[in-house]
Amino acid sequence: MIELKQVSKRYPNGHLALDDVNFKLPAGDFAILTGPSGAGKSTLLKLIAGIEPLHQGQITVADFALHKMPEKQIPYLRRQIGIILQSPNLLSDKTVFDNVALPLVVAGYSYKEICSRVRAVLAKVSLAKKENCYPVELSSGEQQRVSIARAVVNKPAVLIADEPTGNLDGKLARETMQLFEQFNQLGMTLLIVSHDLNLINQFKHRRLLLEEGKLIDAPLQPA
Amino acid sequence: MRPYNLLNKPKQFFALYTARHFQAGFNSLGQLSRTPMNTFMTCVVIGIALALPMTLLVLLKNVETLSQHLRQGTQITLYLKSTTTDAQATDLVYFLKKMPGVSSVQAISPAQGLHELQQQAGVDTAVANLPSNPLPWAIVILPSALFHSTQDLTTLSHTLQQITLVDSVQLDALWIERLFALITFAHRAIYGLALFLGIAVLLIVNNCIRSATQQSRKEIDVIKLIGGTHSFIRRPFLYAGMIYGLLGGIIAWQLVDLLLVWLREPTSQLANLYNSAFTLSGIGFLDSCALLILSVALGLLGAWLAVHSSLKSHKL
Ligand SMILES: Nc1ncnc2c1ncn2[C@@H]1O[C@H](COP(=O)(O)OP(=O)(O)OP(=O)(O)O)[C@@H](O)[C@H]1O
Ligand SMILES: [Mg+2]
């Protein structure tokens, strides 16, 4: 579940990236956030993930109230949400397997559990054969999928993704969206950023439109 | 859906905790062994920085023992009043022998004193012309081994001064006082030096770990993004700092030992010339342990400070 109340974000340089944003995404929902470049989509996701500090408004994500949470709690929030940023940011000196395993290592899972979960999720993103490859040996679409695998391996309650299909061709992008739908059917709440209208028009999901920091066309109760 | 309910499973928690620590330790060891030359150089520099004050301390300790040896030669001479009779003098000797803190007593009668004086060339004619023997009874006291601190000696000589027959007490310890003052001075100087070099070690480790965190910047960002806590991020760097400290400490320890072995031969030759059985003592078990603990602690602290400042500067 994600809820934003009167959230505004002004960057230190004075730029107002988000202006009084309100919306509520109930648990198990799937929403697509769109808007022109520079509208503040990444900023919104960064606030939800605790990457950018929140100064104005209230954000609640998966039982964590970001506006009144000590900074020390942020790692535990991030274990509950899968985060996919605009760039895959994989570790180049670690194999695909190790990259995907990282969230489980951090959370302290046993080796056996890590193996089975990582293999399962790699199979889901069709990278089972590449588990011993290093990121440089992968195409950018494959790298994108590795970062998706890493984000969901911990079975998070919420997944937020910034242009996860940005590096993928039409067919792969569609398959990735279908993968997200599968996660959604398992009960995951998803907030996906995309400005690929061609792609999102193929899916019937709640749509949030952000323009110059203002969220429009977003009824509090989805139609 | 959480992996472990940590609070309800302390055993599992403990296993998890130690496993993570070992993992972090091995990771750091692996990281350090990937650049063996760099690591080795750093450790040698740390080792030299620690070895210098340590060697000086060990040498100073030896000087102290040596001065204890020398102090055992300290004697107290009592000059009795000229009216003292032979019988009184013998009684006093008997009394002094029973005093605590007195090891041996030797009485020198005026006649004996004069005789000894006459043995010395140049004095004999002058002494021969004296109308009567001007020398008083003298009693030479050797304090017992337990009474060798300055304070004990002063107290003893004060007590002796109280005896009615005693005219004056001469404590032959001035040069030892000077030596001791010098040793105290040297102690301070060495501790001051040790402080500076300790800070240098801290800064060396701090610098190494800081550059390591800069090299792992991306890794730190990713780990933060997927929910790694600060302590999880800190851990391998702290281990690396401790490993630097430990290796540096071991090198310092070996250097001190080597230097002492090298000095042992000439020292015992020197001691032989003075008819002394003095031998140079080594660094010792407790001091070695203290050295290693201190160097590991310096490494840990240096690393902690480095990671702390780099975590603070990170945005994520
Ligand atoms: N760290 C920052 N400091 C100052 N201004 C920033 C910062 N990050 C982003 N901005 C500004 O905030 C606005 C929104 O940025 P944001 O990255 O959220 O856009 P976006 O909607 O994700 O765009 P895109 O589709 O191109 O990724 C932009 O005008 C950008 O210049
Ligand atoms: Mg963006």
Side-chain angles (χ1 to χ4, degrees), chain A residues 11-13 15 17 36-43 52 86 162-163 195:
Chain A
Y11 278 108
N13 65 1
H15 182 84
S37 180
K41 306 183 294 293
S42 298
T43 304
E52 282 291 342
Q86 221 161 348
D162 200 349
E163 309 274 7
H195 55 210

Side-chain angles (χ1 to χ4, degrees), chain A residues 1-5 7 47-50 54 57-74 76-78 80-81:
Chain A
M1 192 267 276
I2 304 174
E3 186 171 14
L4 277 77
K5 277 185 191 161
V7 172
L47 283 177
I48 292 172
L54 173 69
Q58 301 177 357
I59 299 182
T60 313
V61 185
D63 299 334
F64 287 85
L66 270 79
H67 46 281
K68 53 185 179 190
M69 188 173 82
E71 210 174 314
K72 274 197 164 165
Q73 283 291 315
I74 289 179
Y76 302 99
L77 160 74
R78 290 189 188 156
Q80 298 294 312
I81 54 179

Side-chain angles (χ1 to χ4, degrees), chain A residues 122-195:
Chain A
L122 281 179
K124 263 219 162 1
V125 296
S126 328
L127 283 173
K129 287 190 191 127
K130 303 266 181 173
E131 67 170 44
N132 288 319
C133 290
Y134 287 90
V136 283
E137 298 164 346
L138 302 179
S139 73
S140 54
E142 285 167 333
Q143 289 182 24
Q144 191 75 269
R145 271 142 59 201
V146 175
S147 80
I148 293 171
R150 187 181 62 192
V152 299
V153 72
N154 205 3
K155 297 185 183 163
V158 174
L159 181 72
I160 56 176
D162 200 349
E163 309 274 7
T165 55
N167 290 322
L168 307 179
D169 64 33
K171 183 168 165 283
L172 261 178
R174 212 164 36 249
E175 278 173 20
T176 307
M177 286 300 278
Q178 281 158 0
L179 189 63
F180 287 147
E181 285 187 320
Q182 283 179 35
F183 295 145
N184 182 233
Q185 271 148 28
L186 292 172
M188 206 182 273
T189 311
L190 288 96
L191 180 61
I192 310 293
V193 169
S194 176
H195 55 210

Side-chain angles (χ1 to χ4, degrees), chain B residues 7-281:
Chain B
L7 288 175
N8 292 338
K9 293 180 185 167
K11 221 173 169 182
Q12 223 161 19
F13 176 68
F14 183 73
L16 194 68
Y17 192 75
T18 42
R20 276 206 236 173
H21 269 264
F22 274 116
Q23 192 188 17
F26 281 121
N27 275 350
S28 323
L29 213 59
Q31 216 102 56
L32 293 180
S33 66
R34 233 167 285 161
T35 51
M37 212 52 212
N38 266 344
T39 309
F40 178 69
M41 295 290 219
T42 309
C43 292
V44 168
V45 172
I46 294 171
I48 291 172
L50 290 172
L52 186 60
M54 203 61 207
T55 309
L56 292 175
L57 265 183
V58 173
L59 288 179
L60 191 67
K61 242 187 196 159
N62 277 291
V63 172
E64 267 178 308
T65 0
L66 188 63
S67 72
Q68 293 294 340
H69 274 273
L70 293 175
R71 177 161 267 186
Q72 281 165 24
T74 312
Q75 51 189 32
I76 300 174
T77 311
L78 304 181
Y79 295 102
L80 304 187
K81 289 177 177 151
S82 52
T83 53
T84 312
T85 64
D86 289 6
Q88 280 173 322
T90 339
D91 277 354
L92 184 60
V93 169
Y94 184 73
F95 168 73
L96 287 174
K97 275 186 179 164
K98 287 187 168 171
M99 254 181 87
V102 173
S103 161
S104 78
V105 179
Q106 189 202 350
I108 301 164
S109 69
Q112 259 178 303
L114 193 66
H115 182 72
E116 273 176 25
L117 211 56
Q118 278 168 348
Q119 302 292 304
Q120 291 173 25
V123 192
D124 49 352
T125 41
V127 173
N129 290 335
L130 290 171
S132 67
N133 187 348
L135 294 180
W137 270 89
I139 298 176
V140 179
I141 293 173
L142 213 60
S144 69
L146 294 173
F147 263 68
H148 276 113
S149 81
T150 320
Q151 207 176 0
D152 288 340
L153 287 175
T154 325
T155 321
L156 185 60
S157 57
H158 272 303
T159 318
L160 294 170
Q161 186 80 65
Q162 307 299 313
I163 300 168
T164 35
L165 287 175
V166 175
D167 186 40
S168 68
V169 176
Q170 190 188 328
L171 177 63
D172 186 22
L174 192 61
W175 70 274
I176 286 206
E177 285 319 298
R178 290 193 183 134
L179 181 62
F180 266 71
L182 219 60
I183 288 175
T184 314
F185 169 77
H187 252 293
R188 287 227 176 152
I190 291 171
Y191 280 127
L193 188 72
L195 185 71
F196 285 144
L197 289 171
I199 292 172
V201 169
L202 197 77
L203 293 180
I204 293 166
V205 176
N206 188 63
N207 198 40
C208 286
I209 301 298
R210 192 187 302 271
S211 71
T213 58
Q214 269 154 17
Q215 274 164 26
S216 329
R217 220 187 158 84
K218 191 170 173 199
E219 190 163 357
I220 292 175
D221 281 344
V222 170
I223 289 176
K224 278 189 159 185
L225 192 68
I226 59 172
T229 55
H230 278 196
S231 57
F232 183 89
I233 294 165
R234 213 179 276 134
R235 209 168 293 142
F237 294 108
L238 296 188
Y239 274 102
M242 271 159 49
I243 291 168
Y244 274 128
L246 183 67
L247 294 181
I250 290 172
I251 289 172
W253 180 37
Q254 288 307 308
L255 283 177
V256 174
D257 235 28
L258 219 67
L259 212 65
L260 290 175
V261 167
W262 195 49
L263 287 175
R264 194 154 292 158
E265 182 72 24
T267 318
S268 56
Q269 272 176 9
L270 198 69
N272 269 341
L273 291 179
Y274 284 93
N275 270 332
S276 163
F278 176 79
T279 53
L280 204 59
S281 58

